[in-house]
Amino acid sequence: MTQSHGWAAQNVAAPLAPFRFSRRDLHELDVLVDIQFCGVCHSDIHAVRNEWGNAVYPMVPGHEIVGRVKSVGSAVRRFKAGDLVGVGVIVDSCGSCSSCKSGEEQYCEVGGTLTYGVRDRYGDLTQGGYANNIIAPEHFVHAISPKLNPAGVAPLLCAGITTYSPLRHWQVGPNNKVGVVGLGGLGHMALKFAHAFGAHVVQFTTSESKIEDAKRLGADDVVISKDPTAMKKQAASFDFIIDTVSAPHDINPYLEALKRDATYCQVGLPDKPPVIDPGHLLFKRRSWSGSIIGGMAETQQMLDFCAEKNIVADVEVIPIQKINEAFDRVVKADVKYRFVIDMASLDRG
Ligand code: NAP
Ligand code: ZN
């Protein structure tokens, strides 16, 4: 077995605390990664607090992982010890269904293996990246350019790919008016990517304090979503809107902001579903859709795009000892724009 240590929740009410555990020995296609940085995704909070109703404890969260390869299994070809790599939200899939075969492992028909909180193909409970190391098959490991700040790269493994993938799928580009709802970890990456793809981008936010940041991050316009008059002015003008909000909120005013045939894409996953007025969909043949992370090849494509365009997340680096405080601040939308844990802090006790 491989010895690991990190921070885990032991039950729904417990704060995260130090935890020792073991991972499997390396199989021939496995990569062992010494973790340097791990981003703090709102999904970690939903999961630890059992807001989706499927939590399994003890739970070491974390799926925005950057580190260096420590060792590799005998059949690994793409990586060697010392390489800078990333691991994201899934660490396995069946490999033979039509989704896996078309490079959409995140839609594996058998069910992809989440990086933490589920049983893997060996029957082990997966444990995530708030830890010193992780093991994943090389297919689920990504090469990271040394040109980029590794702390800023970590959030690309979830917040980055989750927003890049739908923007590519719906072919967002120049001459499109695109809305981003919520300026948090996912939202600020959606804003950066939509801007980089050449779209006219409007940021919707509940936080007046974020207006200047939104413009700096690439917004052509910012709308305070709590202002009904400002929302009405956006009616029937958007080609695509991506919703990154973590809490229940009224999406009907955003549906009204879509043009005929345009799409509203849900990537945020609040603990309660929205109530939708179907009239907003059928009178203009609008679509309400959703998307989850991205495929493995697309994740590498996104990381390469970021290296070429010098795109990383805006991060606040914290020691692991501040994680419980960081969770509370994320829930209050008080982070600019992603906490990232420096794993060197693990050994400080
Ligand atoms: P986050 O950093 O907390 O950002 C969420 C943002 O939503 C906040 O910054 C805030 O933006 C806005 N917001 C929060 N509470 C709100 C409320 N009550 N009403 C309206 N707006 C509110 O979260 P995140 O890490 O980006 O994750 C966002 C969501 O995506 C979570 O539900 C997460 O589980 C989900 N997720 C999905 C995928 C996927 O594959 N689909 C992947 C990762 C995460 P403003 O201050 O600008 O209003
Ligand atoms: Zn995530």
Side-chain angles (χ1 to χ4, degrees):
M1 300 300 268
T2 307
Q3 293 311 308
S4 303
H5 61 284
W7 280 46
Q10 296 293 337
N11 58 59
V12 65
L16 298 193
F19 177 59
R20 291 195 173 271
F21 59 104
S22 48
R23 301 189 188 270
R24 64 175 181 261
D25 284 330
L26 287 193
H27 290 276
E28 57 178 9
L29 283 170
D30 280 342
V31 178
L32 171 63
V33 180
D34 275 343
I35 301 176
Q36 294 181 328
F37 294 100
C38 185
V40 178
C41 179
H42 206 119
S43 298
D44 299 342
I45 303 172
H46 291 309
V48 161
R49 298 185 176 174
N50 198 21
E51 290 170 359
W52 293 327
N54 57 355
V56 184
Y57 303 98
M59 181 190 291
V60 178
H63 57 208
E64 295 186 335
I65 297 162
V66 166
R68 289 218 179 259
V69 174
K70 169 98 171 169
S71 55
V72 299
S74 58
V76 169
R77 295 288 168 264
R78 285 170 53 228
F79 302 107
K80 59 178 187 326
D83 287 352
L84 193 62
V85 295
V87 176
V89 177
I90 58 174
V91 288
D92 206 355
S93 70
C94 83
S96 51
C97 71
S98 67
S99 293
C100 285
K101 281 194 166 146
S102 49
E104 304 272 20
E105 297 88 343
Q106 73 280 29
Y107 302 113
C108 174
E109 281 135 48
V110 179
T113 304
L114 295 173
T115 299
Y116 61 85
V118 298
R119 296 273 157 200
D120 64 17
R121 65 170 72 208
Y122 310 103
D124 297 336
L125 180 62
T126 57
Q127 300 290 8
Y130 295 7
N132 65 323
N133 61 19
I134 192 159
I135 293 171
E138 72 169 331
H139 186 71
F140 297 86
V141 177
H142 310 283
I144 304 286
S145 166
K147 282 198 316 200
L148 298 174
N149 164 19
V153 169
L156 300 179
L157 276 305
C158 174
I161 186 60
T162 300
T163 50
Y164 180 95
S165 180
L167 291 169
R168 285 296 198 212
H169 180 78
W170 276 278
Q171 299 176 353
V172 162
N175 307 318
N176 283 166
K177 185 175 173 188
V178 172
V180 175
V181 186
L183 186 53
L186 268 58
H188 93 294
M189 290 313 306
L191 181 49
K192 287 187 186 205
F193 285 134
H195 175 71
F197 298 164
H200 177 93
V201 196
V202 178
Q203 178 70 50
F204 293 95
T205 178
T206 59
S207 308
E208 281 176 44
S209 60
K210 295 180 183 173
I211 295 175
E212 287 317 309
D213 276 352
K215 289 184 178 159
R216 173 179 61 79
L217 293 164
D220 297 286
D221 207 352
V222 183
V223 173
I224 299 298
S225 52
K226 292 181 291 194
D227 175 354
T229 316
M231 290 298 284
K232 282 237 166 341
K233 279 193 193 145
Q234 303 298 320
S237 67
F238 283 85
D239 297 285
F240 183 75
I241 298 179
I242 182 167
D243 184 326
T244 72
V245 173
S246 50
H249 58 289
D250 184 8
I251 72 168
N252 292 290
Y254 298 105
L255 295 175
E256 286 186 273
L258 294 171
K259 287 180 184 167
R260 173 173 56 78
D261 287 332
T263 296
Y264 192 80
C265 177
Q266 199 73 51
V267 292
L269 186 57
D271 58 357
K272 288 184 194 66
V275 174
I276 290 176
D277 177 349
H280 297 320
L281 300 178
L282 59 92
F283 284 110
K284 287 199 185 296
R285 204 166 47 195
R286 294 157 171 146
S287 299
W288 181 52
S289 189
S291 182
I292 189 159
I293 51 169
M296 296 306 104
E298 190 177 39
T299 302
Q300 190 63 58
Q301 206 182 82
M302 177 273 310
L303 288 164
D304 296 346
F305 177 83
C306 289
E308 185 195 322
K309 305 282 181 192
N310 203 23
I311 294 174
V312 288
D314 286 26
V315 299
E316 284 187 46
V317 177
I318 55 165
I320 188 78
Q321 291 78 7
K322 294 263 185 212
I323 189 61
N324 294 302
E325 201 178 299
F327 271 20
D328 291 340
R329 281 187 54 199
V330 171
V331 172
K332 286 189 264 173
D334 173 25
V335 50
K336 294 190 168 177
Y337 279 90
R338 196 57 135 191
F339 287 117
V340 171
I341 306 161
D342 178 355
M343 281 310 154
S345 63
L346 260 185
D347 296 324
R348 282 180 221 147

